Amino acid sequence: MTRRLMNWAAAAAIALLGWTSTPSQAQEWRGWNIHPPDYPVSKGMDRFTELVAQRSNGRLKLKTYHSAQLGQQDEAIQQMRLGSIDFAEFNLSPLNNLVASTQVLTLPYLFRDVEHLHRVVDGPVGDQIAAELEKVGIVPLAWYDAGARSFYTRNKVTKPEDLKGMKIRVQTSDLWIDLVKALGANPTPLPFGEVYTSLQSGVIDGAENNWPSYESTRHFEVAKYYITDEHSNVPEILAVSATRWRRLNDADKKLLKDAARESATHQRQLWAEREKVSRERVIAGGAVVTDLEDRSGWSALMKPVYDKYAADPKMADLVKQIRETK
């Protein structure tokens, strides 16, 4: 790890040396993205780089390296903080240990729907969390969609009690483990690549994810019952390195923010379209979907989770602001 950090620091120093150009000279930026080029996030980032190039008359040249070409997410976060990656699109979960306030957006059953989510992150709450992230070297410019996550199982589930005793695959996260425990199920952390065979063999009884992931991994073939409990709807951030950001003039900062927000509108539309297509594909493939209109019985079981993760006054205030957002 020490050697890796030294390499990142050296790369950051080289990047800074290359940044001594005058404002009229072209600046070449490197961008990180974990997703393949045809993914809605990737297309959103491509729109961002196109808009920046157009509006700066080619002076700001941004290139996104898709498919984790510049390393995995934890590595990319460190590289951005050191200044050797200039912009990126990150999931919030790996940022939870860096900035505690990001955890509030991962709390279960917090958002009423995707429109409520957008109003929250595009408003004062999003600005507060962005300000905290900037302190650790990451400057969010816009919020992207990553979809609502729901449970899918080998046996039909229509209410929380049906999950009791089931082995449910979760991400390696204390919050996710506690969420599943609160529903009476047995959380089973597993690498994502092992979920299909584990469902197929009965090692686990279910998992949870969004529509595109459920469809693209073909998990619907081995766990055909999907219930739209939408326990999580965690947004992602399109961000730039604070090292780059602090060297920009106000006009270029506005240019980048405007382009990022326009790209977010584009990405959100693409995501909604992809969700619809994925849902149609899994139903055509034999999946049985239970649509929930009332999630109050599910959210009522989350008190232990909120007592543990939102008891701090600052977190409690953010939760209050989110719930009061109209």
Side-chain angles (χ1 to χ4, degrees):
M1 180 60 71
T2 300
R3 180 177 297 176
R4 187 178 295 172
L5 287 171
M6 290 175 66
N7 290 338
W8 288 339
I14 293 170
L16 288 175
L17 287 173
W19 210 93
T20 57
S21 58
T22 64
S24 63
Q25 293 175 314
Q27 302 168 15
E28 295 188 357
W29 296 27
R30 297 195 314 156
W32 178 91
N33 174 32
I34 199 170
H35 301 290
D38 63 344
Y39 203 69
V41 164
S42 308
K43 292 180 178 180
M45 292 185 75
D46 289 343
R47 175 64 64 89
F48 171 62
T49 60
E50 290 166 5
L51 290 172
V52 171
Q54 291 169 8
R55 294 173 184 179
S56 68
N57 295 317
R59 181 170 47 81
L60 300 177
K61 295 182 177 180
L62 282 61
K63 180 177 179 180
T64 304
Y65 292 83
H66 300 298
S67 304
Q69 293 178 63
L70 301 181
Q72 294 304 309
Q73 182 157 275
D74 288 344
E75 297 171 338
I77 289 168
Q78 294 302 323
Q79 291 185 67
M80 173 172 273
R81 296 181 70 196
L82 289 167
S84 56
I85 282 180
D86 301 302
F87 67 103
E89 201 274 354
F90 291 136
N91 182 281
L92 284 185
S93 295
L95 297 169
N96 289 168
N97 290 335
L98 282 175
V99 176
S101 61
T102 61
Q103 292 184 37
V104 74
L105 299 179
T106 69
L107 289 169
Y109 304 104
L110 183 58
F111 299 107
R112 295 187 290 274
D113 49 39
V114 70
E115 289 78 15
H116 179 218
L117 166 67
H118 291 164
R119 290 192 295 273
V120 167
V121 296
D122 293 340
V125 171
D127 291 343
Q128 289 179 58
I129 295 172
E132 294 294 319
L133 282 163
E134 185 169 354
K135 293 176 184 177
V136 300
I138 297 170
V139 182
L141 300 180
W143 299 85
Y144 278 13
D145 277 353
R149 298 173 73 101
S150 295
F151 291 106
Y152 50 92
T153 50
R154 286 156 46 94
N155 296 312
K156 191 171 184 178
V157 169
T158 61
K159 55 188 182 299
E161 291 79 4
D162 295 336
L163 286 170
K164 188 173 182 179
M166 283 192 180
K167 299 185 293 292
I168 303 295
R169 182 266 174 181
V170 294
Q171 302 174 77
T172 306
S173 158
D174 290 344
L175 188 147
W176 286 96
I177 289 170
D178 289 338
L179 185 163
V180 169
K181 283 182 178 178
L183 292 170
N186 297 320
T188 308
L190 279 177
F192 190 56
E194 296 179 15
V195 175
Y196 186 100
T197 55
S198 297
L199 285 166
Q200 188 177 43
S201 63
V203 170
I204 56 175
D205 303 302
E208 53 80 45
N209 220 311
N210 56 46
W211 285 112
S213 294
Y214 181 53
E215 174 255 320
S216 63
T217 57
R218 304 196 70 80
H219 288 176
F220 65 90
E221 295 176 341
V222 287
K224 72 175 186 176
Y225 296 102
Y226 192 100
I227 183 166
T228 61
D229 72 292
E230 297 184 354
H231 50 268
S232 174
N233 200 338
V234 182
E236 300 188 349
I237 54 168
L238 176 62
V240 299
S241 165
T243 302
R244 280 285 195 189
W245 184 251
R246 290 164 188 160
R247 292 172 178 264
L248 294 173
N249 59 40
D250 289 344
D252 280 348
K253 287 179 179 179
K254 184 177 187 305
L255 185 156
L256 285 168
K257 278 192 173 181
D258 289 347
R261 288 169 180 170
E262 287 185 40
S263 78
T265 299
H266 180 62
Q267 188 271 343
R268 291 170 181 179
Q269 180 180 351
L270 292 176
W271 184 267
E273 292 170 357
R274 175 66 185 271
E275 282 190 324
K276 182 179 178 181
V277 169
S278 293
R279 177 183 170 120
E280 291 171 350
R281 285 175 178 170
V282 300
I283 291 173
V288 177
V289 178
T290 299
D291 284 310
L292 284 183
E293 294 185 5
D294 182 6
R295 298 177 179 84
S296 59
W298 297 70
S299 61
L301 298 173
M302 294 298 113
K303 186 178 184 302
V305 178
Y306 278 78
D307 287 346
K308 181 175 180 178
Y309 295 95
D312 175 87
K314 186 175 180 179
M315 289 286 284
D317 180 64
L318 285 171
V319 170
K320 182 174 182 290
Q321 289 185 60
I322 290 169
R323 287 177 169 163
E324 291 177 353
T325 299
K326 302 300 182 183

